[in-house]
Amino acid sequence: MNLEWRWAALKNGFQDATVYRLEFLFEVLGSALVPALIQWVLWYALFKVGGATQIAGLGYSEMLQYTLASLLFTQIRGGNHDFDLAEMIRTGQLSNYLLRPVGVVEFIFIRGIAPKLFLAAVCLSFGAIASLWLNSSPLRMAGAMALALLGNIIHYQLSASLAALAFYWEEAYSILMVKNLVVSLLSGELIPLSLFPSHYQWIWKSTPFYLFVFGPIQFALGQWSFNEFLGQIGIASLWLLVGWALVRASWGLGIRRYLSLGG
Amino acid sequence: MIKGEGLRGAFQLLLRPTYQTHTALKNVSFTIESGSFVGLIGANGAGKTTLLKILSGLIPPSSGEARVLNFEPFRRPLEFRQKISLVMGQKAQLWWDLPASDAFELLRAIYEIPLKLYQERLHTLTELLDVKKHLNTQIRRLSLGERMKMELIGALLHWPNVIFLDEPTIGLDVFAAHKLREFLQVFNQREKATIILTSHNMDDIERLCPRILILRSGELIYDGPPGSLTRQGERRLRVRLMQNPGIEELGAVSGVAHKNISLAEKDTAHGDAMGAIHFDLKQEQIVPVLQNLMTRFQVVDMGIEEQSLENVIQRLYEGIP
């Protein structure tokens, strides 16, 4: 395995993502703070204005803790490289990568995850400090971040498989948008998944999306035991295998239909 | 996808889209010796880029077989990808927001080029193309010519055995195009790399390619040196006569078919009251035609013009024999 090009791609991806530093900063802060503010307004309305004391067993401070923890993990859950892949297929830009002696799906992933790894390190530092302050174990935060990173890989695998629809339909933008909305809801990025009615819990449990945000938060906040966490790592590994098979199949079939349009 | 006209056409497209299959290449067969420089030319839509895409392994042929360096291109084995390069003049391969040096560093790692060798090659290529000073400038801030040179360097850093160049001089000014041509010639001769070049610029083709392949509507209609194409072609006899005969009379006297006679516009403003008459002829027809003309008319002025490669090829594109 050639680690050199992977390291170089990581470096290159990071440089590319952060070349406009202010833009990068606003993107990170905006995507973290806006959903958190919406959640805070919602909890405030329900608990402080509406007078609720508990919702699905969670009080106001627990909801706020969830919101603050979600700030750390929503940053990691995935980028836009699935849209990039679909666009590259549509415009023929994929040709640039197909002729290089590297796997195109992996190459795009590595370049895309570079800024996420940086953010993971920053968020982990904040999380570890917060853990110490709250008398919790920083190890939990590290484990939660590892699960979030596994979630990022699963997310990319599923997204890359969906992006391969562009080989057939030329345009896969809307399906990727719908996927993003579903992921936002079922990952626990917008609301804790425990708010789902008990007879609908199976919905989020049968997808891997909860491993992206909700799962890491549960472990970081001590809601999952270490054994439960290991079980979830096992589930994530199975999803990784499914994702790998999906990417292999969808790209193996799709690439035969590639037209390399655009000159 | 085919679209009908008006609102009805738009609804038809939405409800019952119809598709049309276009055969891009038909029975194209050729072999290229290692180390050659071959020009691939044809009008827009003739199938040049499709052929390059098949040869580089981007798309498979729907029938028949392509082999490059003994590999089946579409299988794209790692070793094959390490030995080829494709440069498309209209497609940027480097990363827009990063300087070329960063992109080259990544390419060095991808192709596993030893550092010292990479530095030597980078030095050679940037010297030859005169872009050393721009290595640390963002690609998006470079001029088109400088960008194209960087693209070329990125495509050559791994010293490919086969290079496919799809209109590399598109949009370049005369000087930049000249520099690029000079560079390609040196690279081909020095490194014995096989280069297949498509271009609409006949200057590129004439100066670089000892062999050309001409495609017309997906068919290979010529395979040989450009020189013999012009030798096989015609000369143009230009005469001015005291008299003012019509094409019918000129044809009858000269014995030349009407389609090969053309009357230039009279340019009275510049004292050209007679107007030139052009005869498209084979070399050996020139003297007899002149003799015939002189039996009836008084020849004031005459000249023989060489057919340019561009003219000959234009006629080939149009299917004029």
Side-chain angles (χ1 to χ4, degrees), chain A residues 2-17 19-20 91-104 107-108 111 255-263, chain B residues 49 53 56-60 74 76 78 80-82 84-86 88 90-98 102-103 105-113 138 140-141 154-155 158 166:
Chain A
N2 177 356
L3 286 179
E4 199 187 353
W5 78 255
R6 289 175 174 87
W7 176 248
L10 209 57
K11 193 175 129 197
N12 186 276
F14 181 73
Q15 286 168 326
D16 206 11
V19 65
Y20 301 107
T91 58
Q93 204 66 26
L94 188 71
S95 306
N96 293 342
Y97 297 89
L98 282 179
L99 298 184
R100 305 277 185 214
V102 292
V104 60
F107 184 79
I108 299 295
R111 285 192 85 246
I255 207 80
R256 293 165 208 262
R257 300 179 60 96
Y258 180 55
L259 297 172
S260 181
L261 296 172
Chain B
T49 305
K53 284 174 185 170
S56 61
L58 285 175
I59 55 172
F74 189 63
R76 287 196 293 270
L78 209 63
F80 171 71
R81 284 182 278 166
Q82 274 163 341
I84 64 146
S85 205
L86 168 68
M88 290 186 169
Q90 302 180 58
K91 261 190 194 139
Q93 305 201 41
L94 303 177
W95 292 276
W96 196 242
D97 289 320
L98 295 178
D102 286 351
E105 267 296 324
L106 176 56
L107 293 174
R108 180 187 80 75
I110 287 177
Y111 289 99
E112 301 176 59
I113 309 167
Q138 263 184 325
R140 63 198 292 268
R141 291 179 194 277
H158 60 290
D166 192 9

Side-chain angles (χ1 to χ4, degrees), chain A residues 116-169:
Chain A
K116 297 288 174 192
L117 285 178
F118 169 73
L119 288 174
V122 173
C123 290
L124 182 57
S125 309
F126 279 117
I129 293 166
S131 300
L132 289 172
W133 189 53
L134 294 168
N135 285 329
S136 171
S137 162
L139 258 184
R140 277 192 169 269
M141 192 51 72
M145 197 53 81
L147 184 59
L149 285 170
L150 283 183
N152 178 294
I153 302 173
I154 297 167
H155 185 200
Y156 177 72
Q157 289 174 323
L158 300 179
S159 305
S161 305
L162 283 177
L165 287 172
F167 287 120
Y168 298 87
W169 301 341

Side-chain angles (χ1 to χ4, degrees), chain B residues 187-206:
Chain B
F187 192 82
N188 168 249
Q189 283 163 6
R190 199 191 282 177
E191 305 305 329
K192 305 287 175 237
T194 308
I195 302 181
I196 302 176
L197 166 78
T198 81
S199 180
H200 288 296
N201 184 340
M202 286 310 128
D203 246 16
D204 290 349
I205 301 290
E206 263 182 309

